[in-house]
Structure formats: C-alpha cells, structure tokens
Amino acid sequence: GKSLLALECRQQGDRWRPFFQQQVIGATTEDLGDEPLPAEELEYFDPDNRACARLQFWLDRPDDWSRKVRHVHISGWCLAAYGEPVTAVRARLGGKQFQATYGITRPDIALAFEQHPGALRSGFSLDVVVPRLPTTLILEAGDAQGRWEPFFEQRVHGPLFWPEKDEVSEAVGNYRAWVRLYDRLTPADRAAIRAHLAQFQEQPLFSILLPVYNTNPKWLEHAIESVRAQLYPRWELCVVDDASTDPRIWKLIERSAGQDSRIKIRKRAQNGHICATSNDALQMATGDFIALLDHDDELTPTALYFAALELNRDPQLQLLYSDEDKLDRHGHRCDPYFKPDWNPDLFTSQNYISHLSIYRSELIRAAGGFRVGFEGSQDYDLTLRCVERIEASQIRHIPRVLYHWRIAEQSTATFAAAKPYAHEAAIKAMQEHLDRLQIAGSAGPDYGDYLRVKYLRRNNAPLVSLVIPTRDRAAFLRPCLESILAKTEYPNYEIVVVDNDSSEAETLDYFASLKGDQRVRICRVPGAFNYSKLNNFGVGQARGSLIALLNNDLEVMNGGWLEEMVSHGLRPEIGAVGARLWYPDKTMQHGGVILGAGGVAGHAHAGLRNEHGYFARAHLIQNFSAVTAACMLVRKALYLELGGLDEEHLPVAFNDVDFCLRLQEKGFRILWTPHSELYHHESASRGFEDTASKQKRFLAEVDYMNQKWGHALEADPCYNPNLSLGQKLFTLAFPPRVSKPWSAT
C-alpha cells in the first residue's frame, strides 16, 4: 500500500532531522502471487521479505518536491524485480500524459543488480508541465504488452502566477524563465560591478561605431540609450548618418549628442551604404578598441564591463566576441545563440562571431577597415582579414549574452534570404581569405545560406589504410567491406581487417573469399577484446601514410566520404577528422563529441532526423574537442608519435576522446565534417555493457578519464557553459556553469 518514506540525518545531541519525505507505493503479498522468486533475484533482494515491490526505482531529480514550479524535469531508473520487464516509463498529470525517454544506460545500477538483464538500460528522463491547481503526479512503468503499472505518486502544485523571483529548477527551452533566473541585474549587482571596475588596472577606451540610415527612430533611440546605460564608463559613441531621408533621424542624433559629450556625430552629404559609413565612423574613433553596433540593436549594460574584465585578465587580446540573442517585435528576448570559443573551421562555414565583436583599433586599421563591395557581409570580411594577422590565443569568447539583435523586416535576424547579396559577399570574402593565405581551396554555398570550403589535394592521392577490428558477425562485416569496395571514389586505399578470435563458420568462410582481393588483408590478434590494442596493432601493419579507424558495423553512404576526410586530414593544422554517422533508421548517431556530456563525453545532435541542429551546426564543417574512432582519420606519423590509443587504461571506452585531447595538447585541431556520411549499427559486434566485468571496466574507464581530463571535461571550448550537459544537449543549462565575477570582489 501507500507509505510515507522519510530520510533523516542525525545532528549533535542525537537529534534527528528529516530532510526528504516521499509518498511511495509498495506491493502487497497478493500482488506477488504464489511463485517463488528466482534464485538470482534472491541474491539482491531480501530473501525474507516476500513483500518486496515488483518495480524497483529511484529518482535522481528532482530532489525537492516542495517548490512550486511550472516545469519539472524528472530522471532516475526503474526496473522490474520479476515478471514482465519494463520497456517504457510515462507520467500522468492533470489528465495529460508525458512520455519518458527510457533505456538510458546506467552502469551504476547494472553493477548494483549484476544478475538483472534490464538493469543496464533502466534509466529514464522526462519533462512535465505542472498545472496551476494541485494535482497528483503518477509515474508508471509499461511492458511490451502495453500494460502500465504505477510505481510512484506525488502531490504537486504549480504557481497561480509566475512570480518575479521564480523558483523554477528546470524549464527546458524556456528562455524567458532562464533570463529571469540567471541574466538579470539587481541593484546590488550593479553596485558590486561598479566597485569591481574601480579595481581594474587597465581602463581601455572603447569606440562604438554606429552607422545609421533611415532606421525607426524608436529603435535608434533604444540603441543609443543602451550605450549610455553601460556600467563601464570609458566609451565614445561614433554615430554617422548615411544621408537618411527621414528628418527625425538627424534631430534625434543631435539631441543625443547634446545630452552626452561622449557621443560624436557626423552626417554624410550623400548615401554611401554601410561600408563607407562605417569607415567614416572609424575615422572619428580615438579609442583603444572598436566595437560594432547596428542602428536598431542594443547592448546589455554589462557589455563593456565584461570586455574590460577580459582585457585586464589578458592585455594581449586583439579580438573579443560574445554570445547574443534577439529582440522580437514586442521587445522580448528570444532565440539566444550560445557560441563556442574560437572555432576556425566553423567560422569558415558561418559568421558565428557576429555580435558583439570588439577589435583592437590598431588591428582593424592595419587590416584596412571596411571594404566597399562586401556590403551585407562587411563584418565577416573584416574579421577574416583580422584573424589572418593574430594568433588564436589573442581571440577571446565571452560566454555571456551582451548583444540583442532586433528582429525586423528586411533584417537578416529574421531570415538570411532578406539580403541575398550578403551570402554572395560572404562567399567572396572567404575565397579571398583562402587566396591571401595561399590555401588550395574553393568557397561555395552549403546547407541553407551557409558556406563550405573544399580543400584540394596538391599532390597525388596518398595511400589510406582502413583499419577495421572485428570478431565474427559476418552479417555486419560483409556489408561494411562491400559498401567500401563498391562506393568509395577515392582511388588509393587498403583495408586491414584485424580479426580478434573469430570462430563462426560464416565469418571464416567470408575471410577465405577475400583472399583474392589485393585491397584487403586479414591480420589475426588473439586474446580478450581490447579495442585500443586491436587498432594499434592494425596501424602497425598499415602501409598507408594516412590511417582511417573504422568500426566493422559501418556502411558507406556517399562515394566521396574518404576524399572528404583525406582533404582535411592532409591539412597540417588538423590532427583528426571525424564523419557524420547515422543509425539505420536515418537518425543521427554522431555529429561530433561534447566533453562532459553524460559525465565524460556524448555525441552532439544524436537522434536528429531532418532538423538543422543548433544554429545549423549539425550540417556544417567545424571543430570539436573529439570525434568518435568509429570513423576517424589521422596521419600515421602523428598516430605513432602519440603512441596510439591507450591500451592500458582505456581498452574499450573513451580511448578516442583521450586520443583527441592528446592531439590538442600537441596543438592540433579536431575536425568534424558532415560531408562524409556512413550508417552505423553501433556496438553491433561487441554488444552492450551487459555483464558485471564489462560494467566494472567501464566505470574504471570513467574514473580514469575524470582523473586525467577532469578540468577539460568541465569546460569544452567547442560547446558553451550556458548549454546543458544532460540528456538534451544544446538546450539551456539550469543553472549555467558561469559565475558572477563581481561576486568575488
């Protein structure tokens, strides 16, 4: 029946204090039937307790049900002690049903219930919306027959009104709630920031360029006032009117200049468009740094404070940029873009730096300012010419929303097609960038309104050795090899199959059939499965100067897959190249690796089907901190220099992540390309972590990664601390992993 479970902690004086209470539902003896529990169940359930519940569960989140919230995120695990196994979990609340994601891997639970076949994939996660009136939340477990059984209930009560100081702990996708919780300044914050500013040794002058042409006077006034509202006081605003035909514009500009001596103004006699007008504003600037502001956008009050803070931390910085969001037609903040740190290959695909960007004045002038003829992508062209002159270490990303981009008609904040000439200018700017750096490549359009750079091989096609570990499962290996041999357009490759004790007749017969193909070699490696060791052995047998590590359960989708990977793998700055992998049902399996996701690392955009991903990142060439060795290309000399994959500490899991991090320590970039595509029947040959020994080994690998790379796992430069590391990547983090720097003063 129903009981109240109370957890208590003992304080001094042997006083007990409750810290958690929960209504739980247990099974009666009648529910259990007359059949005895199987012996293997008795090993981990109390043999004297015939009333043990059929459904075992635990809730990780939430840990406090007393808060009145609108959205609740629930995660935990649930399994059946006996009878029909659990195949699904759902919540019922206020007449509505919320389906959970069930089957999440839980090695910790698998170890606790070693003999239970369903323990490994017993995790679940779901989000529910709480109605305003008191309601009972019921969690239910379902089986393969469609039968549902309750295992948990809780009385919940959403707020009658959304309070100003919201107690929301989870509001997945709710940016307004996120802003209220984590991105609002209190009077105390403002006072602390001003006190912090007084301690800055460096007090640079920021010149903000504001070219204006026939903007809505209301939005122009908001733009100017957002500068005047800066908590950092050392700025000048350089406003140039590009011969606006609306007489209200110049009157507003003159009035603003009369109110603040830091505002400089100029009116052009004739319209010259954005580049000429921006250059006029640049001529007026006397600051140490140049910031760019569009005439209908707004800065946050902390924009220049955070920029000055970074310059005090590192005075050698040349270029700074921040996260951004948009203002809808009602002035509400929406659509935030939480960006990665400097990501050179993503920048060749999209101008993700955009707003807010701040340049050292000497740099922007040395680069030649804004170039007429690149209107619509003048900032992109400018940034490309600037980054050619500086080191990556002199570029700083500020993971804060410091710029509000207004959505208006004919604005690229609404849709890029509003200014088609901007896309053409971006392609032109990128091609000239490649030409200036003498990089053999061509710039062209890519997914949507983005770019793609195709890198060209200057020499003959080097030999690529495709290293494929396997053990039996010819049903997977055969289509893998046949798809490679039939579809690969790259002309010069060999296949090195590393056989780890295959014994099935079908597999051995297939090996025998391959003896006549000069492109395929079979190498035998006996012993326990060690993925790192098998690959290292295969690389030792490889004749090629390039190595492609491949799983035996892949199938090639496009003929140019290897050519694409080789074109990037030959670039001297690239250490490893990963591909886009799909499940057979055409949902994405691998779109790069995010450090810290799920504890150590997780795949970006896993599960996407037709969606474009976070700001199209599921479709664009870019840098990640790691890619999966299920399909990874690397130069053989570099692989050997690093000692290959870690056989001792990482025999199965995370060896690819560790290898990529070691490459980055050497100064190489990791690249992922969506233009090399393969199907992946993940873990089809090796199977899942479904035994106690496998689970203990996996947890040991997790522990090793956390000890060795703990700091790196906490702050992936290719991700963003404002985004979640939970089950749903590229959603808002509640709370974000950033602090208030003024709080430490």
Side-chain angles (χ1 to χ4, degrees), residues 683-700:
S683 301
S685 179
R686 184 176 60 85
F688 298 116
E689 314 289 3
D690 53 3
T691 67
S693 61
K694 287 183 178 181
Q695 291 149 13
K696 290 177 181 177
R697 184 265 310 149
F698 177 78
L699 292 176

Side-chain angles (χ1 to χ4, degrees), residues 100-288:
T101 299
Y102 185 77
I104 298 170
T105 304
R106 292 293 300 256
D108 55 333
I109 307 307
L111 273 179
F113 301 97
E114 292 186 8
Q115 305 301 321
H116 199 289
L120 177 62
R121 296 184 176 273
S122 62
F124 68 87
S125 173
L126 77 158
D127 299 286
V128 301
V129 179
V130 183
R132 299 185 188 280
L133 298 177
T135 314
T136 299
L137 167 74
I138 300 175
L139 295 181
E140 300 177 314
D143 59 25
Q145 308 303 319
R147 295 172 298 203
W148 293 91
E149 182 178 348
F151 63 89
F152 174 86
E153 72 176 47
Q154 172 66 44
R155 196 71 170 166
V156 292
H157 190 175
L160 290 176
F161 304 100
W162 200 285
E164 186 68 19
K165 294 184 178 180
D166 201 8
E167 294 296 330
V168 169
S169 61
E170 291 288 343
V172 176
N174 192 326
Y175 184 51
R176 291 192 189 181
W178 188 94
V179 169
R180 281 193 295 269
L181 286 166
Y182 310 119
D183 202 22
R184 278 192 171 181
L185 293 176
T186 66
D189 288 330
R190 293 174 180 271
I193 289 173
R194 291 188 175 95
H196 194 198
L197 285 170
Q199 302 174 22
F200 285 8
Q201 292 185 351
E202 300 288 333
Q203 299 276 345
L205 175 64
F206 293 95
S207 296
I208 303 168
L209 309 188
L210 182 60
V212 176
Y213 179 71
N214 279 350
T215 188
N216 183 324
K218 177 182 178 181
W219 305 143
L220 176 58
E221 184 173 14
H222 282 319
I224 295 174
E225 289 305 309
S226 76
V227 177
R228 296 188 64 197
Q230 289 300 300
L231 294 172
Y232 182 84
R234 295 208 68 227
W235 55 264
E236 62 179 14
L237 179 62
C238 304
V239 186
V240 178
D241 178 23
D242 191 21
S244 294
T245 57
D246 185 344
R248 296 176 298 171
I249 301 299
W250 184 245
K251 291 181 180 179
L252 172 60
I253 293 173
E254 286 186 313
R255 184 171 67 251
S256 299
Q259 294 171 341
D260 199 314
S261 61
R262 295 171 293 182
I263 299 177
K264 300 179 177 180
I265 63 175
R266 176 181 173 184
K267 183 177 178 65
R268 289 178 55 87
Q270 57 183 349
N271 182 259
H273 301 295
I274 185 68
C275 293
T277 307
S278 297
N279 280 331
D280 287 349
L282 181 60
Q283 290 179 355
M284 299 165 60
T286 61
D288 307 292

